[in-house]
Amino acid sequence: AGIGAVFFGLPPVAMKAYLTMRRCQFDANCMMVTAALGSLALGEYDEAASVSFLFSISEWLEARATKKARRALGEIVSLRPDYANVIDPATGDIVIIPASNLPVGCRVSVRTGDKVPADGVVVEGTSSVDESSLTGEARPVEKHPGEEVS
């Protein structure tokens, strides 16, 4: 039973270890393959199976955590608005531009219900800002001139 577990669990890790060693590096995959092969060479089949099984579980947990982190990061990125209402310094008119093209140091108008397109400082006006995605605070935070917004 131990040898079967090793032969089913070791090949994916051995492939990663091989690719890593081709780059003249050494990582956890290389150590796992070395430990499993060493256990097999010593006739400790249960040890080799344990190492392979536990490492496979750790790989699965790592992949699951990475997937969740990527999903969470994608949700955070989707909170960013697509457009920003930039105040033209010469005329005072509002010009709508993509938020990704927002120049540093420009003044932006954020109306009720709008998302804040970039980090900045309140210049005039007072409002409540929903910062729950950043702070986890369930209530909107009151913002006054001179305070930072995100």
Side-chain angles (χ1 to χ4, degrees), residues 22-46:
R22 281 188 59 195
R23 293 189 313 261
C24 297
Q25 295 176 339
F26 196 81
D27 66 0
N29 293 305
C30 300
M31 289 187 281
M32 206 301 281
V33 169
T34 303
L37 293 177
S39 295
L40 287 174
L42 294 173
E44 297 291 337
Y45 304 118
D46 290 339

Side-chain angles (χ1 to χ4, degrees), residues 37-61:
L37 293 177
S39 295
L40 287 174
L42 294 173
E44 297 291 337
Y45 304 118
D46 290 339
E47 289 295 324
S50 297
V51 168
S52 298
F53 176 73
L54 291 174
F55 196 77
S56 295
I57 287 181
S58 73
E59 290 273 305
W60 177 76
L61 289 172

Side-chain angles (χ1 to χ4, degrees), residues 57-150:
I57 287 181
S58 73
E59 290 273 305
W60 177 76
L61 289 172
E62 181 182 354
R64 186 171 171 225
T66 301
K67 183 178 177 181
K68 284 185 175 184
R70 284 194 176 127
R71 188 178 318 124
L73 188 58
E75 289 173 6
I76 289 171
V77 169
S78 71
L79 292 175
R80 192 188 89 229
D82 295 328
Y83 295 95
N85 301 318
V86 177
I87 301 172
D88 187 338
T91 64
D93 293 337
I94 293 179
V95 180
I96 298 173
I97 65 167
S100 58
N101 296 344
L102 194 62
V104 175
C106 69
R107 291 181 72 179
V108 176
S109 172
V110 181
R111 298 182 185 115
T112 303
D114 285 352
K115 295 178 184 175
V116 179
D119 293 348
V121 177
V122 177
V123 177
E124 66 181 65
T126 301
S127 185
S128 295
V129 178
D130 179 9
E131 294 183 337
S132 59
S133 63
L134 299 173
T135 63
E137 184 67 34
R139 299 191 178 125
V141 179
E142 193 74 20
K143 294 294 181 175
H144 303 280
E147 293 184 334
E148 292 184 358
V149 291
S150 297

